[in-house]
């Protein structure tokens, strides 16, 4: 899918740049996984949804947004989605 291609592209780019610059890609990658999770929820694919949400949180933790309101907001969304699945 489109989102998977974007994630693969971001991962390749982050492997080619300096580590401090690669950290800037973690936020956008987290958002891509969030969009993928939303897509999987609509298709009622629970395992894929949870996998994407867990990957999303991993990227949030690795990125510069680890101690920001974005992390808290994503964590709350993850918990809500997990409870409704």
């Amino acid at each position: 899918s489109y989102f998977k291609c974007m994630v693969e592209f971001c991962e390749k780019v982050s492997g080619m740049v300096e580590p401090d610059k690669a950290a800037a890609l973690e936020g956008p990658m987290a958002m891509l996984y969030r969009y993928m999770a939303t897509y999987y929820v609509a298709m009622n694919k629970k395992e894929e949804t949870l996998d994407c949400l867990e990957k999303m949180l991993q990227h949030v933790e690795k990125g510069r947004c680890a101690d920001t309101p974005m992390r808290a907001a994503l964590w709350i969304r993850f918990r809500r989605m997990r409870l409704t699945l």
Side-chain angles (χ1 to χ4, degrees), residues 8-78:
E8 289 174 8
F9 174 76
C10 289
E11 288 173 349
K12 287 179 183 178
V13 169
S14 67
M16 294 187 298
V17 298
E18 299 172 16
D20 61 328
K21 292 182 181 177
L25 291 172
E26 298 297 336
M29 288 174 69
M31 294 306 290
L32 287 171
Y33 277 112
R34 185 184 139 224
Y35 296 146
M36 288 170 58
T38 303
Y39 173 76
Y40 286 131
V41 163
M43 295 179 63
N44 201 27
K45 293 185 175 184
K46 296 178 183 180
E47 291 302 317
E48 291 88 344
T49 301
L50 292 174
D51 184 50
C52 286
L53 291 172
E54 289 171 3
K55 288 179 181 177
M56 173 193 72
L57 290 175
Q58 290 171 2
H59 285 288
V60 169
E61 290 292 330
K62 288 193 291 186
R64 293 181 180 162
C65 51
D67 294 322
T68 65
M70 178 184 170
R71 178 181 183 265
L74 290 173
W75 181 252
I76 290 168
R77 285 184 185 153
F78 171 73

